[in-house]
Amino acid sequence: MNNLLILPIIIPLITGMFMVIVRKRIYFQRMLGILAIAGTGAVSAVLISQIKNEGIQVLHIGGWEAPFGVSLAADMFSALLLLTSSIVSLFCLIYAFGSIGKDREMHYFYPLFLFLLTGVNGSFITGDIFNLFVCFEIMLISSYVLISIGGTRIQIRESIKYVLTNLLSSLLFLVAISYLYATMGTLNFAHLSMRVAEAGQDGLLTAISLLFLIVFSLKAGLLLFFWLPGSYSAPPTAIAAIFAALLTKVGIYSIIRLFTLVFYHEPESTHLLIGIMAGLTMVLGAIGAVAYWDVKKILTYNVIVGVGFILAGLASGTTEGMTGAIYYLIHDIIIKALLFLIGGTIIALTSTANLRDFSGLIQTYPFLGWMFFVAALSLSGIPPLSGFIGKVFVTEGTFEAGYYWLGGIGLFTSLMVLYSVMKIFMNGFWGESYLDEENGQKLKKGLLIPIASLTILTVALGLGAEGLHSFASLAVKSLMDPSLYIEAVLGKN
Amino acid sequence: MKKQNDVILRIVARIAVVIILTFAINLFISGHHHPGGGFIGGLALACAITLLFLTYDIESVRDNIPFDFKAMAALGVLIAVFTGVGGMLYGRHFLTQAFNYFDLPLFGKTELATAMIFDLGVALAVIGTAMTIIITISEDR
């Protein structure tokens, strides 16, 4: 028993609900928001140290033992993602202070932001598949409101598409859960894993696992990403950044959890399919990223490339591939938030997203320019920065598994990604300055602080990859060996 | 538009609302041993208020029920979560429920459980949400 596990879920929930009651006090809400997210981060840091010393932490809610009650289980993989998402959402929140506008703040922006985190944290930490569905819904319903809050024309249009797509995928999720419950008679991840292993993963179970793959692919933007570019370019910067950083990652987390813990018996069909989907996702995403001259579109297609790359690591099924997937997942959460924040800042400064319409920003905003440069290099995986180590491991894993084509696609799309972000840098930041001194807006310090912090974080993560390695290898150990998770949740008998 | 004299509707609604409110509270209390509970109890109570909205105009009902329904929904969730936190404070698992038997003056020996407080939270959240939706879409601003 470890009651710390519930705190990442209820701290944002309680704080958010309290904010609904004190709706008009915006400064109070800002302070509360920072405190709540910092508290969540502190709890996840404590969890990480506990998991490192004592193994996987479990909480049976209400005291009902494992297969009968809902259990929460945090292994190193969950805890690392919890910590990263707390840090990144803290910076997105600080960015929102200076950019979101009084109108949205008055209409429950901060509570909704915290409810989104409630859902994300719950999805990362839950040990029960129906509870995962509930946490997904908490996250999605908050994101429906966040995407439409403010009510501009484009937001309403995109939110209709977004809501319809996600309602469909939630329905499929529910159907898949009922199939699974009908065949296996349990909903607990550990118990499911045990029963699937006992019964043998036959054709029916593989079919159910593929239904889950479709559901989570819709959420994660793996091949089924048709909804993603529109939805992610509609909302304001701070919201788009938290979407890009966290929402697809929850889908990725679910795919990894499900296909390492429960459906790992038929890798030649399921994992190969994930590999093919990941390869196609990378190629299509990279084509999109190269094709557009719109800053937001380029960045959203880069989100899609990242999804493909992480799942290529899972598809390889090797220790190296999984290590790479974990490194790249953490890196991707940070770098996507950073790139979206910078992209949004550029659009706010130039009031256009079209790259052909502005140039020479680096003369007026040198800090922003060089931070974008660092972020761009880090995104495409240049050695001292954080994207590198994940790419190396994933490529190594795919080569080791014999999927040379997949590793090759990964490397080639890295080039295209580098080209797409360098296109923003060279067209937007270099060249003749189209702004003169008095014409240029002043860049607010409040916006620069979160951007600078995330840039420092991505550099530090690249330089300190060795320090992270012991944690990442623990995470991989529990992912590669499901018996650890089962023993922790169900006990040793 | 000429104001219609809907005296029959008003009289019937006055009686019906009392019956519906009683039924809602009955549904809420009986949830532990019979069909019912916080969700349906809250929904039935929201129905009673909706009937008042239909019979009288929004303003006069709002004057008599002066709650901020959004805050009420939030308060409901807070109550529900804090019953879980209460279990934690006693060193148990989150959401551990406790119950005991009490000799209440009018009811005699009665089983009281903290699940009731959780249900109260659910009921408040449901009433608050339902009323917020109805009031929001009926006021055009």
Side-chain angles (χ1 to χ4, degrees), chain A residues 52 327 460-472:
Chain A
K52 195 169 165 58
Y327 267 115
L461 194 66
L463 296 176
E466 187 67 36
L468 189 63
H469 189 263
S470 62
F471 299 99

Side-chain angles (χ1 to χ4, degrees), chain A residues 1-3 6-7 10 13-15 17-18 20-21 23 59-63 65 108, chain B residues 68 70-75 77-78 81-82 85 87-88 91-97:
Chain A
M1 184 192 96
N2 184 353
N3 270 324
I6 194 72
L7 290 181
I10 60 172
L13 181 63
I14 291 176
T15 321
M17 285 299 168
F18 191 63
V20 173
I21 297 176
R23 174 192 169 193
L59 169 69
H60 303 299
I61 290 182
E65 289 297 320
Y108 306 104
Chain B
D68 178 1
K70 292 178 200 127
M72 183 195 259
L75 190 69
V77 177
L78 282 180
V81 176
F82 276 117
V85 176
M88 274 162 70
R92 303 285 183 77
H93 294 78
F94 176 75
L95 265 184
T96 304
Q97 304 290 337

Side-chain angles (χ1 to χ4, degrees), chain A residues 414-426:
Chain A
S414 297
L415 265 184
M416 291 166 81
V417 164
L418 182 63
Y419 169 75
S420 72
V421 277
M422 278 302 141
K423 188 162 82 179
I424 300 180
F425 185 68
M426 291 172 68

Side-chain angles (χ1 to χ4, degrees), chain A residues 109-299:
Chain A
F109 169 72
Y110 296 118
L112 287 164
F113 192 90
L114 287 175
F115 297 153
L116 186 83
L117 283 183
T118 308
V120 170
N121 290 349
S123 311
F124 283 152
I125 215 167
T126 185
D128 180 286
I129 200 157
F130 192 78
N131 203 27
L132 179 71
F133 172 78
V134 175
C135 291
F136 258 104
E137 287 307 303
I138 296 174
M139 173 184 90
L140 286 173
I141 291 172
S142 331
S143 73
Y144 298 156
V145 189
L146 280 175
I147 203 173
S148 56
I149 191 172
T152 57
R153 201 184 164 85
I154 174 171
Q155 278 182 295
I156 300 294
R157 192 183 66 218
E158 293 303 333
S159 67
I160 289 173
K161 291 183 206 164
Y162 180 74
V163 171
L164 284 179
T165 319
N166 278 301
L167 279 182
L168 179 71
S169 76
S170 296
L171 175 74
L172 283 177
F173 195 177
L174 214 50
V175 170
I177 290 176
S178 9
Y179 282 152
L180 194 61
Y181 189 62
T183 47
M184 290 289 110
T186 180
L187 291 171
N188 187 295
F189 273 135
H191 203 215
L192 269 176
S193 170
M194 217 170 74
R195 289 208 167 159
V196 170
E198 280 167 3
Q201 191 180 331
D202 55 0
L204 180 64
L205 280 174
T206 308
I208 294 173
S209 79
L210 293 184
L211 189 55
F212 275 111
L213 182 62
I214 293 173
V215 170
F216 293 135
S217 302
L218 266 170
K219 315 264 189 199
L222 174 69
L223 194 57
L224 307 172
F225 56 74
F226 53 89
W227 55 272
L228 197 147
S231 317
Y232 281 22
S233 40
T237 309
I239 298 173
I242 198 78
F243 278 18
L246 293 182
L247 290 197
T248 56
K249 308 302 180 290
V250 179
I252 296 171
Y253 166 83
S254 310
I255 293 179
I256 293 180
R257 178 63 79 208
L258 205 64
F259 285 90
T260 53
L261 184 61
V262 183
F263 299 112
Y264 57 92
H265 303 279
E266 293 276 337
E268 58 275 14
S269 52
T270 53
H271 286 54
L272 182 63
L273 185 67
I274 294 176
I276 294 170
M277 287 169 84
L280 282 173
T281 312
M282 281 190 277
V283 171
L284 294 173
I287 290 174
V290 170
Y292 281 98
W293 281 81
D294 181 306
V295 176
K296 279 191 172 178
K297 282 275 172 358
I298 294 175
L299 296 181

Side-chain angles (χ1 to χ4, degrees), chain A residues 425-439:
Chain A
F425 185 68
M426 291 172 68
N427 286 290
F429 285 96
W430 286 3
E432 293 267 313
S433 178
Y434 88 119
L435 297 165
D436 31 23
E437 284 298 318
E438 63 269 26
N439 199 358

